[in-house]
C-alpha cells in the first residue's frame, strides 16, 4: 500500500578518496563516447580534504549544475550513509537524496552544503568541470545499482537554482520509467 524509499546499505567500498568510484555493470549498453565520459569522470574524482565552508566559486559551480550524482552516490556508499537519517541530515524529506543520486532532483544550495558537511568534503569535490545538466529520456526515478549517473535533469537544476535559498522541493517524477536504465549517463 505505501511505498518507502530508503537508501539500502551497499557492499563495502574503499575509504573516501582512495579509489575512484566504479562505473557499474551496465557499461556494455553504452556508446563508446558515453563509456569514455563515464570512465573520465570516475578517474578524475578526488577528495581534496575535509569539509570547509564553501566560497562563491563553489556556489557558482552548484548554480551551473556541475554537481555529479555519481560522486554523491560514491561518497554516501563509502561513508556507509544509509536510511532516512541521510535525508534528515541534508535538510530534505525522504526520498530526496535517492532522487539526487538518480539526477531527477537537484539539491538546494543549503542541502548541498549540508550534504558536503555530512560527507566531510568540500562542495567542490561533489562537482566536475565538464558536468552539466542533460536530459535523458529514460532517467530512473531512483538510483539503479550499476548505472553511473553523471548529470542532473536541466529542469530540476533550473527550478532549484531559481528558487535558491527557499528550500523548495523540486519534483520531476514524470520523467522516464523507474525500471529503465539511464543509458545516456553510463
Amino acid at each position: 500500500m505505501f511505498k518507502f524509499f530508503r537508501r539500502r546499505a551497499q557492499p563495502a567500498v574503499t575509504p573516501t578518496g582512495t579509489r575512484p568510484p566504479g562505473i557499474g555493470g551496465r557499461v556494455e549498453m553504452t556508446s563508446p563516447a558515453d563509456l569514455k565520459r563515464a570512465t573520465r569522470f570516475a578517474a578524475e574524482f578526488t577528495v581534496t580534504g575535509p569539509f570547509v565552508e564553501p566560497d562563491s566559486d563553489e556556489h557558482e559551480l552548484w548554480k551551473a549544475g556541475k554537481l555529479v550524482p555519481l560522486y554523491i552516490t560514491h561518497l554516501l556508499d563509502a561513508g556507509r550513509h544509509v536510511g532516512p537519517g541521510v535525508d534528515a541530515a541534508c535538510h530534505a524529506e525522504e526520498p530526496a537524496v535517492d532522487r539526487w543520486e538518480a539526477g531527477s532532483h537537484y539539491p538546494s544550495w543549503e542541502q548541498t552544503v549540508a550534504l558536503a558537511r555530512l560527507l566531510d568534503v568540500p562542495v567542490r569535490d561533489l562537482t566536475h568541470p565538464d558536468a552539466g545538466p542533460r536530459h535523458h529520456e529514460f532517467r530512473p526515478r531512483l538510483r539503479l545499482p550499476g548505472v553511473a549517473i553523471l548529470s542532473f535533469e536541466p529542469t530540476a537544476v533550473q527550478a532549484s537554482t531559481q528558487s535558491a535559498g527557499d528550500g523548495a522541493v523540486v519534483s520531476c517524477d514524470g520523467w522516464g520509467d523507474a525500471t529503465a536504465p539511464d543509458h545516456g549517463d553510463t
Side-chain angles (χ1 to χ4, degrees):
M1 181 172 196
F2 293 103
K3 205 173 200 181
F4 292 97
F5 300 104
R6 292 209 168 112
R7 294 193 90 254
R8 290 182 177 31
Q10 299 296 315
V13 292
T14 60
T16 302
T18 60
R19 189 173 1 159
I23 58 172
R26 293 201 169 117
V27 294
E28 71 279 356
M29 297 179 167
T30 64
S31 71
D34 287 338
L35 178 58
K36 183 178 179 180
R37 181 172 181 255
T39 303
R40 183 171 46 84
F41 270 50
E44 293 174 0
F45 172 75
T46 60
V47 173
T48 59
F51 175 80
V52 293
E53 289 300 320
D55 59 23
S56 61
D57 289 340
E58 289 170 307
H59 184 267
E60 289 304 314
L61 288 169
W62 166 80
K63 194 169 184 177
K66 300 289 186 181
L67 295 179
V68 179
L70 175 65
Y71 295 172
I72 294 170
T73 296
H74 175 71
L75 291 167
L76 286 168
D77 290 348
R80 297 182 185 232
H81 299 287
V82 297
V86 174
D87 296 270
C90 294
H91 313 292
E93 291 185 29
E94 192 175 32
V97 175
D98 296 308
R99 291 179 176 159
W100 299 344
E101 292 181 87
S104 62
H105 289 98
Y106 197 69
S108 69
W109 173 243
E110 292 78 13
Q111 292 168 332
T112 300
V113 173
L115 175 65
R117 186 175 283 118
L118 171 70
L119 299 172
D120 195 28
V121 298
V123 169
R124 180 177 314 281
D125 291 351
L126 301 174
T127 68
H128 189 279
D130 295 334
R134 285 178 61 183
H135 173 69
H136 296 287
E137 185 177 344
F138 298 109
R139 182 179 300 277
R141 287 190 184 120
L142 300 174
R143 176 183 123 175
L144 292 175
V147 177
I149 300 176
L150 305 177
S151 64
F152 285 86
E153 281 292 331
T155 55
V157 173
Q158 181 181 14
S160 187
T161 57
Q162 283 182 347
S163 63
D166 66 7
V169 175
V170 180
S171 178
C172 305
D173 286 341
W175 293 330
D177 176 353
T179 60
D182 190 1
H183 299 299
D185 260 349
T186 54

